[in-house]
Amino acid sequence: MVSDGITDVAVDLSDEPWVENMEDWAVEANSHDGSLYGFSTWGIDYEGVLYNKTFFEENNLEVPTTWDEFIALCDQIKELGVTPLYEGINGTWHTQSWVYALTPALYAENPDFVETLNESKDNKFGDMTAFTDGLAQIQQLLSTKDGDEPKYFTNDGQAEDWMGSYTSLQNRETVMMFTYSAYVAELEANGATDEFGMFPCPLLDNQTAVDNGGGISKFINKNSKNIDACKQLLNFLAEDENLETYYAARTDLVSASFKDVESVHATSATEDILARTAEDSVTMFIKDVLYWDPDVYQYLQGMADGSLSPEEFAANVDDYRAVMFDTAAE
């Protein structure tokens, strides 16, 4: 759902002819107080643990459904002489996905946790057991050493960049990575021939998929002198033929925001994680919770090197949110 301020700057598009053809999730994501303001041609993607299905089958490895099974799986893969995970924690965004994977557990603890956190700075992440317990498991994964090197992921995590993941997974230097399900299309474009699947991240024994809630939307500025022309453009983009052409060219999208699009294709990872999810996917909390700390990646690095505890991680996030609440109130 779009934020409150959108009504001050965007045109209400609720009565446009293409609205009835939008998927329900796309309508919800682009609406506020029952009115539609945004137009989207993106799709929902899913996040989980990508795994080399061919490698798993060759080595009789089982997809885990609990955290203990996941750690045991990583140990099994290590015994085969392969690094289990590609993870570059030097990036500002990628490792944070492990934290967003706690979303189903946070909803299980408090179905209204998003609204609760958005009400006041006094409602804190640190007060949620699932948040600190989940961070402790992430710390276990990132900080466990084999000599001087991390046991479960590439090098020290600081020397790896995102682009290196394609070659690493393709060459079986690593066989798992936390990522989005459309990533398989990128692997195939890079020359990978193994089959890849995906399972929900089993933090706190979770078995529910997390989705990204959709991508970029288009809005019409209500102060524009060209509102009618902008509406004509959106009508053009929403025509069936043009939607088919658009999605056929977008191999990075695994679902469509419009109904009955035939040219959009789910990857093997998309199909696998949707088959494995215990319930309907939930949208990662960062899309809805106010004032997420931009320095979270540094806290993850701190947990990996032992300089920061899960409780300190949560306190830092809550302190940042408190400052932002106060700033917004001024």
Side-chain angles (χ1 to χ4, degrees):
M1 183 176 293
V2 291
S3 60
D4 292 346
I6 199 66
T7 59
D8 297 328
V9 296
V11 173
D12 186 339
L13 302 173
S14 303
D15 295 327
E16 293 303 298
W18 42 264
V19 174
E20 62 182 14
N21 196 33
M22 289 185 77
E23 294 283 5
D24 291 343
W25 68 263
V27 172
E28 181 179 356
N30 289 285
S31 295
H32 180 75
D33 284 346
S35 295
L36 180 78
Y37 292 91
F39 173 93
S40 176
T41 48
W42 283 60
I44 289 179
D45 202 352
Y46 304 88
E47 294 204 347
V49 181
L50 183 82
Y51 69 100
N52 188 318
K53 212 169 186 178
T54 307
F55 180 89
F56 271 46
E57 291 172 354
E58 291 174 356
N59 293 281
N60 298 313
L61 300 174
E62 298 290 332
V63 170
T65 58
T66 69
W67 186 252
D68 288 344
E69 289 176 359
F70 178 64
I71 295 299
L73 169 65
C74 289
D75 288 331
Q76 284 180 279
I77 294 171
K78 283 284 291 185
E79 290 172 2
L80 293 169
V82 177
T83 301
L85 286 155
Y86 189 97
E87 181 58 67
I89 62 174
N90 61 319
T92 59
W93 69 275
H94 181 254
T95 314
Q96 295 185 55
S97 292
W98 292 97
V99 183
Y100 309 151
L102 294 173
T103 303
L106 297 175
Y107 274 118
E109 180 173 336
N110 178 6
D112 299 318
F113 86 94
V114 170
E115 291 79 5
T116 300
L117 289 172
N118 287 347
E119 282 175 359
S120 168
K121 66 181 182 182
D122 297 324
N123 300 330
K124 301 179 178 181
F125 275 102
D127 294 334
M128 300 193 70
T129 301
F131 192 69
T132 52
D133 286 355
L135 289 176
Q137 290 186 335
I138 295 171
Q139 182 178 43
Q140 174 192 9
L141 178 72
L142 297 181
S143 64
T144 302
K145 302 289 185 181
D146 187 0
D148 293 330
E149 298 293 330
K151 185 173 183 180
Y152 298 128
F153 61 97
T154 42
N155 294 335
D156 62 355
Q158 304 292 329
E160 303 296 336
D161 64 14
W162 174 256
M163 297 307 296
S165 63
Y166 301 103
T167 302
S168 180
L169 287 160
Q170 181 178 331
N171 293 342
R172 294 190 178 186
E173 297 167 4
T174 52
V175 292
M176 295 189 295
M177 182 173 72
F178 196 112
T179 188
Y180 46 89
S181 66
Y183 179 86
V184 171
E186 299 171 31
L187 269 178
E188 292 172 349
N190 200 56
T193 56
D194 285 344
E195 183 180 1
F196 287 83
M198 180 173 282
F199 55 86
C201 182
L203 282 164
L204 302 177
D205 300 343
N206 168 63
Q207 296 182 54
T208 299
V210 173
D211 66 63
N212 67 358
I216 298 170
S217 295
K218 297 177 176 64
F219 300 86
I220 300 176
N221 189 327
K222 68 189 315 181
N223 298 310
S224 171
K225 297 179 180 179
N226 301 295
I227 290 176
D228 288 341
C230 290
K231 287 184 176 182
Q232 289 177 29
L233 172 61
L234 298 185
N235 289 338
F236 173 80
L237 295 175
E239 291 177 5
D240 290 344
E241 179 181 358
N242 296 329
L243 288 172
E244 295 292 352
T245 300
Y246 171 81
Y247 285 105
R250 293 295 302 269
T251 57
D252 59 320
L253 299 180
V254 297
S255 64
S257 54
F258 282 82
K259 300 173 183 175
D260 303 321
V261 176
E262 297 179 359
S263 59
V264 67
H265 296 290
T267 66
S268 57
T270 308
E271 294 171 346
D272 199 15
I273 194 170
L274 290 178
R276 294 181 183 280
T277 187
E279 300 174 349
D280 290 340
S281 65
V282 296
T283 301
M284 59 179 68
F285 68 77
I286 191 177
K287 296 299 182 79
D288 298 306
V289 174
L290 293 174
Y291 311 136
W292 186 241
D293 192 335
D295 289 332
V296 161
Y297 73 100
Q298 295 180 2
Y299 308 152
L300 288 158
Q301 293 171 1
M303 290 205 304
D305 65 24
S307 64
L308 194 76
S309 70
E311 290 74 21
E312 290 169 327
F313 184 123
N316 286 347
V317 168
D318 288 327
D319 288 346
Y320 176 85
R321 296 183 70 248
V323 170
M324 293 303 295
F325 266 105
D326 291 342
T327 301
E330 292 177 356

